[in-house]
Amino acid sequence: PNVIVVILESFSCKLMQTMGGVPNVAVNMDKFGQEGILFTNFMANSFRTDRGVAAILAAYPAQPTTSIMKYPRKTEQLPMFPKVMKTAGYDLKYYYGGDADFTNMRSFLVNAGFVNIVSDKDFPLSERLSKWGAPDGPVFNRAYADIKNNPKQPFLKIVQTSSSHEPYDVPNFYRLKDKRLNAFAYADSCLGAFVNKLRTLPAWKNTLIVLVPDHLGVYPPDIDNYSFERYHIPLIMLGGA
């Protein structure tokens, strides 16, 4: 099957009503969890994106004061599932609206097997509307256009979101008064639009979508770093495959 992994910035189980969280935020995640397979006892490996991505792609346990992503001589030795899929004939591409060189991520992704990496500089200035670069809407649109117009299969696409990161500025989206929750709702709405458009493509019936946060972020606020709840995140698998 084709595989699409969406790494959701800072998402939490407490954003999903179906998991005992607040309503009207991650409404698409709620729907996808009921449609597909929702893992309800899943834990993030860390509290930072650079550690979370290393855990997702390389199954590398996060360390509290060190990021392996910053050591290319170490990361090139890590077993990573994208490299295995590339060897098996998969076409790889990574999408991120921000700076792919932040925390040395580009080097890590190259060591993971990615040659095609879409980042902030690949979007026009008119779409770089946030502190981090392009918000989630244009990033998902770019990934969808590539899948629609370049139907090379099998493929592995990884989309890393950023709009639910501080300062929580999102373009023309005002569903909730709370700025943080509104940013999560925006990211969720972009994800929902992306998945719904994928359903119309022939590739859908042979595609697996994996939704996984990099870590739990700013909601609930003031959560204890030593609590299990601080790391409780959703993992959802859906798609035609």
Side-chain angles (χ1 to χ4, degrees), residues 123-141:
F123 294 89
L125 283 173
S126 60
E127 290 185 340
R128 292 186 228 167
L129 302 172
S130 74
K131 170 185 174 181
W132 297 100
D136 294 347
V139 177
F140 278 118
N141 288 341

Side-chain angles (χ1 to χ4, degrees), residues 13-24 26-35 38 40 234 236:
C13 287
K14 296 298 184 182
L15 298 168
M16 295 177 60
Q17 187 174 15
T18 54
M19 296 191 70
V22 292
N24 200 35
V27 293
N28 289 292
M29 289 283 285
D30 278 324
K31 182 176 68 174
F32 297 151
Q34 294 175 331
E35 171 188 339
L38 168 63
T40 58
I236 299 173

Side-chain angles (χ1 to χ4, degrees), residues 67-114:
S67 171
I68 195 172
M69 191 175 280
K70 296 177 182 178
Y71 299 93
R73 291 177 65 183
K74 289 182 178 291
T75 60
E76 68 183 4
Q77 304 298 325
L78 289 179
M80 303 194 207
F81 81 85
K83 282 195 289 190
V84 178
M85 295 177 74
K86 187 174 185 178
T87 303
Y90 276 76
D91 183 54
L92 274 56
K93 196 162 186 176
Y94 201 99
Y95 301 83
Y96 176 53
D99 180 5
D101 293 299
F102 186 67
T103 67
N104 210 40
M105 187 169 72
R106 186 185 301 275
S107 169
F108 180 84
L109 295 177
V110 169
N111 283 335
F114 290 94

